[in-house]
Every structure is written in C-alpha cells, then in structure tokens.
Amino acid sequence: AAHELRNPIAGISGAIEVLRAGAKDDPGALEHFLERLNEDADRISRLTHSLLTLARIEAIGESELEAVDVGVAAEESMQALVAPEGVRIDVDVNPGVFAEGDPALVRQILISLLTNAYKNTPPRGRVTLRARAGGSVPGNGSAGVEGTAAATDVVIEVSDTGAGIPREERDRIFERFYRGRNALEKEGFGLGLSIARRMVEVMGGEIGVESEVGEGSTFWVRLRVAKTAPTPVA
C-alpha cells in the first residue's frame, strides 16, 4: 500500500512546487498541473476505497447468507458499467438461478470481473457473462478446485477474448497488489481480483481462472445453490 501511494503523493508534491514557482501564472501550465493534481488525488481516493473495502470484508468474515437471484445481480452489474466501444457483450444467465450469498457481494464480484474483462478486451472482441446451476467449471483454473460442479452449486463465468494470461502469472493473479507484467500504472492497483476472491471466500465459494495466451480468459465463481428461493410477495 505504501508503495502504491508513493507515486501519486510525489506527483502532488511536485505539482505544488512547480505551481508555487510561478507556473500558476501561466494559464496553460496551471490547467495542466491542476489536471495532474486531480488525477493523483483520484488515484489515492480509489486506493483508499479499495483498502477499506478489503479491511471491512476481513473484519466481517463469514456472514449470514441469503438467497441471491443471480439473474438480478447480473443485470444490475451490467447496468453499473459502460461497455467499451466496439466490444460485443453477451449474457447467458439461466432463469431462476439462486445462490447462497450476499446480494451486495455477488453484485460487486460481477462488477469486478466485468471491469477486468472490459479492460482487457480489444475492439471487435467479446465479453460473455454466464450463470447456471450445476454444470462444470474450466479445468485448470487457479485459486479454486478443478472439475465438475455439483447440482448443489451455482457457476458464474465471465469470459473475454483478450490477450490471455501467461501460465506463470495465473497462480498469482488473485494476490494483493499483483499486476501482470504488461499492466500499466493507470490500469489499477492489483486489488480488484484479490478483493473479489475474499468476497467469494466469505460466502463459502471458490473462484478461479482458465486462460490461454492469445485466446482470452474465463474467470469463474462457484457458490452453493440456495436451499430455498425467496417467495414472491403478492
């Protein structure tokens, strides 16, 4: 965290020094450094928010779970994001799929996985969100158990047609602050997938990834099927 904070703080200090030295009297320079200050302040704010979210999850631990309508969570997650221009979005969610979990956590997990897929999918690519009860999960994912999901499981997948993840990076992709070798500083802090994993663990589930370089990635989440679906109110 200290390492991630060092660069934006140094940027803010440097911009202030330059402005005090006279750049504030030049309208063009003033606008440039104000924009830099805004970007660095926003970066610190986003990092702080991510760290607080992770801390809250760690403090809560295993929470009281309820029946979550995965279709509703998927729809709300899609509405919360703006899809990249030129990227095709497919949704394949079986109706009546209810998982044991926390609605806010399931929604945030989907937002995190969709954000990651959007970021890594080039124009003319495709992002697919799937959800079903039972079925199978991809076979060589990390941070989860390989194989076939039982009928008592709900499997959610977010696939993209991006560059894929090298095999040597797949085992580390869910580590805190880890970013792939090709990641740019502006792309994030390496906390999104770590937080998603902890959210899944709090709900007693598993998360993993299947990826091939040049073909794209599929992140999957496995949760227990809800014992009873909520009864509609007349």
Side-chain angles (χ1 to χ4, degrees), residues 4 11 41 55 91 122 139 151 177-178 186 191 199 215:
E4 292 292 343
V91 180
F177 297 110
Y178 182 77
K186 67 180 181 179
L191 278 172
M199 289 178 176
E215 297 182 12

Side-chain angles (χ1 to χ4, degrees), residues 64-110:
E64 185 175 343
L65 306 180
E66 59 184 272
V68 179
D69 189 327
V70 177
V72 171
E75 182 179 351
E76 292 176 348
S77 302
M78 298 287 290
Q79 292 175 350
L81 300 171
V82 177
E85 186 174 352
V87 174
R88 175 179 168 182
I89 311 299
D90 293 332
V91 180
D92 180 15
V93 178
N94 289 353
V97 176
F98 290 86
E100 265 190 25
D102 178 272
L105 294 187
V106 173
R107 184 167 56 250
Q108 190 57 48
I109 290 165
L110 291 179

Side-chain angles (χ1 to χ4, degrees), residues 102-179:
D102 178 272
L105 294 187
V106 173
R107 184 167 56 250
Q108 190 57 48
I109 290 165
L110 291 179
I111 288 174
S112 179
L113 295 182
L114 286 168
T115 298
N116 186 70
Y118 288 172
K119 180 180 67 178
N120 291 288
T121 304
R124 302 181 65 180
R126 183 174 69 254
V127 171
T128 304
L129 170 60
R130 306 183 188 90
R132 63 199 180 280
S136 60
V137 297
N140 67 351
S142 62
V145 177
E146 304 169 5
T148 301
T152 55
D153 293 331
V154 169
V155 177
I156 304 170
E157 297 177 4
V158 176
S159 302
D160 65 66
T161 56
I165 305 168
R167 182 173 297 275
E168 63 271 18
E169 294 187 8
R170 288 178 217 157
D171 291 336
R172 302 192 61 194
I173 201 69
F174 294 98
E175 292 180 9
R176 296 179 190 179
F177 297 110
Y178 182 77
R179 290 180 293 183

Side-chain angles (χ1 to χ4, degrees), residues 6 13 22 24 42 63 84 87-88 99 112 125 133 138 140 144 153 158 163 178 186 193-194 207 213 224 229 232:
R6 187 179 299 126
S13 298
K24 65 180 182 298
D42 179 66
S63 61
V87 174
R88 175 179 168 182
S112 179
N140 67 351
D153 293 331
V158 176
Y178 182 77
K186 67 180 181 179
L193 291 176
S194 173
I207 187 170
V213 174
R224 293 184 294 267

